[in-house]
Amino acid sequence: MAQRKDKSQAMREKILNTATQLFIQKGSEKTSMQDIAQTAGISKGAIYHHFKSKDEIVLAVMRSRQELMEEEMKQWLKATENLTGREQLQTILKSNLESQTARAIDGIVDEYEQDAGFILTMMRDNLRIGAPLVSDIIKKGMADGSIQTQYPDQAAEVFLLLVNFWMNETVLESDPEKMPERFHFLQFMMTSVGMDIFNDELMQLFSRKNKA
């Protein structure tokens, strides 16, 4: 029984790994179940045994990537203990904005912009996984004096929602010409709650990301 369970888990991971690579290469919208099956060297029936639809695969891929990013962030935090909390947040943002994988994930979110249930699930998962880590960084910044806020947990949640969703002009439709105003308002808002983390370099990266 245990061996059968291990094989089932291995097959599920194979499907998700294959789908992830295809989504990164060509986008989820242009990736079919047949593409996943052919690339993985399995039948479509094997895929449907584990996933009811491509949408279910997409959601599983997104959750898997978020959990992987959580583990990577934990390791990264240990390796950057010498930085202040403010510097850690800036470095995380810079890395995320420059990441090809993060860009591909944004592309998946864009393709599901009309699916309110999907977007809501992504918001909840984003907060569930990311908020505790960001809150810890903010608390570190409070301790070292680089961040001044009275509400680290709430600031972490607002930070994630604004950066990952409000600043995504596809999720929340916005005139591209007005995006610079959003950048500056985000900078103003975070500074007003004691999180002065958006320097010129980050603002330029945000701008380039939305023009891509």
Side-chain angles (χ1 to χ4, degrees), residues 108-122:
I108 295 174
V109 173
D110 292 348
E111 291 169 8
Y112 281 78
E113 61 175 309
Q114 300 299 325
D115 189 334
F118 178 85
I119 297 298
L120 179 59
T121 298
M122 290 310 304

Side-chain angles (χ1 to χ4, degrees), residues 15-72:
I15 293 169
L16 289 180
N17 289 337
T18 301
T20 298
Q21 292 306 312
L22 289 172
F23 292 165
I24 291 173
Q25 292 170 11
K26 55 196 293 188
S28 63
E29 190 173 19
K30 295 180 180 179
T31 299
S32 67
M33 295 291 264
Q34 182 60 41
D35 291 333
I36 298 172
Q38 186 173 346
T39 303
I42 59 177
S43 68
K44 286 174 65 175
I47 296 179
Y48 283 112
H49 178 72
H50 294 275
F51 300 96
K52 296 178 182 178
S53 65
K54 192 180 80 172
D55 287 349
E56 191 172 307
I57 293 178
V58 169
L59 187 57
V61 165
M62 296 290 284
R63 283 177 167 165
S64 175
R65 296 306 301 174
Q66 286 185 331
E67 289 169 358
L68 177 61
M69 290 172 68
E70 177 187 19
E71 290 304 313
E72 290 176 346

Side-chain angles (χ1 to χ4, degrees), residues 134-159:
V134 173
S135 178
D136 285 345
I137 299 174
I138 293 174
K139 290 172 183 175
K140 176 183 177 180
M142 292 168 63
D144 63 37
S146 62
I147 295 175
Q148 295 85 34
T149 182
Q150 299 180 35
Y151 308 100
D153 294 339
Q154 292 76 15
E157 292 177 351
V158 170
F159 171 79

